[in-house]
Amino acid sequence: MAAVAVATRWWLLLMLSAAELGVAPAPQPPNILLLLMDDMGWGDLGVYGEPSRETPNLDQMATEGMLFPNFYTANPLCSPSRAALLTGRLPIRSGFYTTNGHARNAYTPQEIVGGIPDSELLLPALLKGAGYASKIVGKWHLGHRPQFHPLKHGFDEWFGSPNCHFGPYDNKARPNIPVYRDQEMVGRFYEEFPINLKTGEANLTQIYLQEALEFIQRQQAAHRPFFLYWAVDATHAPVYASKPFLGTSQRGRYGDAIRELDDSVGRILRLLQDLGIAENTFVFFTSDNGAALISAPRQGGSNGPFLCGKQTTFEGGMREPAIAWWPGHIPAGQVSHQLGSIMDLFTTSLSLAGLEPPRDRAIDGLDLLPAMLQGRLTDRPIFYYRGNTLMAVTLGQYKAHFWTWTNSWEEFKQGIDFCPGQNVSGVTTHSQEEHTKLPLIFHLGRDPGERFPLSIASIEYLDALRRITPVVQQHQEALVPGQPQLNVCNRAVMNWAPPGCEKLGKCLTPPESVPEKCSWPH
C-alpha cells in the first residue's frame, strides 16, 4: 500500500500549505471514467473507417480528444484482460490463466473455483488513498464467489453481474446468472432482467446508463472525486439493444447494440459538460478484446484490416479501439502512435490521482500522460499471451510470433472458426506451431494483416530479431507467474440461491459434485 501512503502525504501537504498561506485549498484530482466495451472490434467505429458511420458520439469524442490506433489488450479474452486493466499487470502475474492445456485461453464461468487473489492490488482500492469514490457498472468477470466480488477489492458500489449474460438455463442443471446491487443479489438475467433472444430486446444498456448518470451526479453534488468503471456487455453475443434502437442500424442487431452504446457515451459526456466538470474528468474508451468473429456476421463486429479476432493473438484479437478525452488538457483532434496497453489505464489513472504504482510487484502498465499531454512517445514492447504461453511480441513496427494457431481441427470441422474468410498459409494454423527458434516476423506498418512474413534470410529480419530477442529473454527471465486461478471447476460453487429464496421457498439445490479440471477447448 505504498502508493496510498505517498498520495495521502502528498495531498495533505498541499492542503496544509494552502491553509498556512490563507489561500483556497488545492483543486481535487480529476474524476476518472473508464468505458470498457465487450468484444467490440477495432473496425467498429466510424472514426476507424467503419463505412456506415453509425457512431457519431464516439467519433465526436475522438474529434475532441485523442485517438490511439495502436492500443492493445493484454489477452484476447474477457476475464484475463479485465484483470490486467484493474491490476496493471499481465494476467500471468495475477494468476488469470490455466495450466490445463498449452496456450489455452480461460475465463471465469459460473463453475470456476478461482478468482482475483487478495494479494492483487486493484485500481479502486489504491484510488481510495486520494479520496476517490468508485463504482463498477456492468460485467465484473474476475470471480463470482463472494470473496472475489468488487466490493471486496476496493469498489464502493456495484451494479451488474459477475459473468456475461449467457443463458437462459433451466435452473436445475445450471442456474441463470445473477445480477447484483452492491453485495445483494437482486435478480438474474432472463428472469428479473429479461433478454429476448428472438428479438434481441433488453433494457440492460439503459439501466447501466442510468446507473452511471446517477453516480456521476451524486459524486458531483458531494464534491468528491470519483472513479467510474463502466463495463457494459451489449456487444457480446447474444447481443442486445433496447426497443428504440432495434432495427435502426445498417449492420443488423450487432449494429443496433453499437448505436445504443454510442448514444449512451454521448449522454455521459454531455452530462459532464452540463455539470461543468468536463475539464476535471478524464475519460477513456476501449474494449476488452477484439471482435468475436466466431459470432459474425449477425452477432459479431469488425476488426478492420487485422487478422482473425477474439481468442487469437493475431492483431484482430488484441488490437482495440481507444479514445482519450479530457477537454482543456488533451489537445483535440490528435492521433497518438504510442504503443498502448489496457494495463496502462491502471498506471495512468494512478498518475492522474497523484499516486505512484505499488513498488512491491512488477507493474506492466505505462503512464500515458506524457503521450497524451506532451506528445512524447515511449519505446516499449507489447507481449501477447494466450494462457500462460507467450505467443508473440511487438516492438516498434515489428511483430514476432513464437507460436501460431487459431483453434483445433476438431473444432474447425464443427464450424467453430476464429478467422472466417481469412486463411494465411502457415500462419492461421489449426495445430499449435512453434517458431521459438526462428519466429515469424511481420512489419505491421506495411503489413497490418500479418499476411507476408519477412524472409528469414533478409537483413531486415535479422535486424528485427536482434532487437526483439534480448527484450523477450529479459522478460521471461524476470517473470514470476502467479498461482493459476482458472484450473479448477465445481458445479456446486455456482450461484444457486435466487434472491429472497428463503422467503419464497424457491431455493435451488446445488448438485453433488467434486472439483475437477476445467475444460478449455480453445
Side-chain angles (χ1 to χ4, degrees), residues 253-501:
R253 191 179 297 176
Y254 181 86
D256 296 341
I258 291 274
R259 291 197 68 245
E260 184 167 19
L261 291 171
D262 175 78
D263 180 78
S264 297
V265 172
R267 290 183 61 183
I268 290 171
L269 298 185
R270 283 193 294 275
L271 176 63
L272 297 174
Q273 292 166 332
D274 291 344
L275 293 175
I277 58 173
E279 292 193 2
N280 198 43
T281 304
F282 172 84
V283 185
F284 200 96
F285 175 95
T286 190
S287 178
D288 62 348
N289 47 249
L293 300 186
I294 188 175
S295 304
R298 295 186 60 195
Q299 301 266 346
S302 167
N303 293 315
F306 303 118
L307 185 63
C308 298
K310 177 181 178 178
Q311 296 268 17
T312 78
T313 48
F314 299 110
E315 291 297 286
M318 297 284 290
R319 201 185 294 215
E320 311 306 327
I323 306 170
W325 186 87
W326 190 12
H329 301 273
I330 294 175
Q334 299 297 303
V335 176
S336 174
H337 293 285
Q338 173 67 52
L339 286 182
S341 167
I342 201 168
M343 296 178 289
D344 300 342
L345 300 181
F346 173 90
T347 313
T348 303
S349 296
L350 292 180
S351 181
L352 286 163
L355 296 164
E356 293 184 5
R359 297 178 179 177
D360 63 345
R361 64 200 62 210
I363 299 295
D364 300 292
L366 180 73
D367 182 1
L368 291 178
L369 288 183
M372 294 175 183
L373 305 182
Q374 302 162 9
R376 286 167 44 194
L377 300 184
T378 302
D379 191 26
R380 58 94 68 92
I382 296 291
F383 297 107
Y384 302 65
Y385 274 87
R386 190 163 170 168
N388 62 342
T389 303
L390 180 62
M391 302 288 287
V393 63
T394 285
L395 189 64
Q397 294 273 21
Y398 293 98
K399 180 177 181 181
H401 288 271
F402 309 112
W403 290 88
T404 55
W405 79 305
T406 57
N407 60 321
S408 68
W409 277 114
E410 292 76 15
E411 293 169 326
F412 182 69
K413 291 174 182 177
Q414 295 170 10
I416 300 172
D417 190 356
F418 294 161
C419 312
Q422 298 175 309
N423 180 26
V424 182
S425 179
V427 178
T428 56
T429 56
H430 292 289
S431 57
Q432 296 187 18
E433 301 294 333
E434 184 175 5
H435 311 280
T436 52
K437 293 183 178 179
L438 286 175
L440 297 179
I441 299 181
F442 298 88
H443 187 287
L444 295 178
R446 297 194 304 266
D447 181 22
E450 298 171 276
R451 286 166 172 80
F452 307 103
L454 301 180
S455 168
I456 61 173
S458 68
I459 294 176
E460 184 179 15
Y461 178 94
L462 295 174
D463 286 343
L465 188 61
R466 287 192 193 99
R467 287 189 61 208
I468 290 170
T469 298
V471 172
V472 173
Q473 288 178 343
Q474 182 180 7
H475 169 70
Q476 292 181 320
E477 289 170 0
L479 181 67
V480 180
Q483 185 70 25
Q485 297 294 310
L486 308 182
N487 277 350
V488 179
C489 284
N490 186 343
R491 292 180 62 214
V493 304
M494 292 194 286
N495 195 319
W496 290 93
C501 72

Side-chain angles (χ1 to χ4, degrees), residues 59-343:
D59 296 347
Q60 181 66 26
M61 181 183 178
T63 299
E64 297 172 359
M66 180 173 285
L67 198 67
F68 284 83
N70 305 315
F71 193 85
Y72 291 87
T73 185
N75 188 275
L77 198 64
C78 308
S79 293
S81 67
R82 292 160 193 265
L85 186 157
L86 291 174
T87 63
R89 287 152 56 81
L90 287 164
I92 190 171
R93 298 192 197 275
S94 63
F96 258 68
Y97 66 95
T98 181
T99 58
N100 291 349
H102 181 260
R104 300 284 173 165
N105 291 321
Y107 66 109
T108 55
Q110 293 192 75
E111 61 268 36
I112 198 77
V113 172
I116 193 71
D118 286 341
S119 58
E120 291 298 317
L121 295 176
L122 272 61
L123 180 58
L126 294 171
L127 288 175
K128 284 184 185 296
Y132 281 75
S134 61
K135 179 166 186 168
I136 170 176
V137 175
K139 176 174 161 183
W140 172 238
H141 228 40
L142 299 186
H144 62 86
R145 299 170 70 197
Q147 65 266 38
F148 302 128
H149 281 191
L151 270 62
K152 296 291 181 70
H153 292 274
F155 281 100
D156 299 308
E157 300 180 25
W158 177 31
F159 182 86
S161 177
N163 302 91
C164 201
H165 54 278
F166 295 124
Y169 299 116
D170 59 11
N171 280 343
K172 295 178 181 178
R174 180 181 291 267
N176 279 326
I177 292 168
V179 176
Y180 282 82
R181 179 172 295 283
D182 299 331
Q183 297 175 339
E184 179 185 2
M185 180 180 164
V186 293
R188 293 182 188 272
F189 291 132
Y190 301 96
E191 297 177 20
E192 291 80 6
F193 298 90
I195 303 171
N196 189 318
L197 292 181
K198 184 176 180 180
T199 65
E201 182 177 354
N203 289 327
L204 284 167
T205 297
Q206 290 304 308
I207 295 172
Y208 292 151
L209 172 61
Q210 292 306 315
E211 289 288 329
L213 298 178
E214 187 273 338
F215 176 74
I216 292 169
Q217 290 170 320
R218 242 188 316 119
Q219 301 311 317
Q220 167 60 9
H223 303 289
R224 185 178 182 185
F226 60 83
F227 167 51
L228 174 61
Y229 176 41
W230 200 62
V232 291
D233 64 355
T235 44
H236 188 299
V239 299
Y240 61 78
S242 61
K243 192 171 183 178
F245 291 91
L246 286 174
T248 64
S249 169
Q250 299 179 52
R251 302 181 62 196
R253 191 179 297 176
Y254 181 86
D256 296 341
I258 291 274
R259 291 197 68 245
E260 184 167 19
L261 291 171
D262 175 78
D263 180 78
S264 297
V265 172
R267 290 183 61 183
I268 290 171
L269 298 185
R270 283 193 294 275
L271 176 63
L272 297 174
Q273 292 166 332
D274 291 344
L275 293 175
I277 58 173
E279 292 193 2
N280 198 43
T281 304
F282 172 84
V283 185
F284 200 96
F285 175 95
T286 190
S287 178
D288 62 348
N289 47 249
L293 300 186
I294 188 175
S295 304
R298 295 186 60 195
Q299 301 266 346
S302 167
N303 293 315
F306 303 118
L307 185 63
C308 298
K310 177 181 178 178
Q311 296 268 17
T312 78
T313 48
F314 299 110
E315 291 297 286
M318 297 284 290
R319 201 185 294 215
E320 311 306 327
I323 306 170
W325 186 87
W326 190 12
H329 301 273
I330 294 175
Q334 299 297 303
V335 176
S336 174
H337 293 285
Q338 173 67 52
L339 286 182
S341 167
I342 201 168
M343 296 178 289

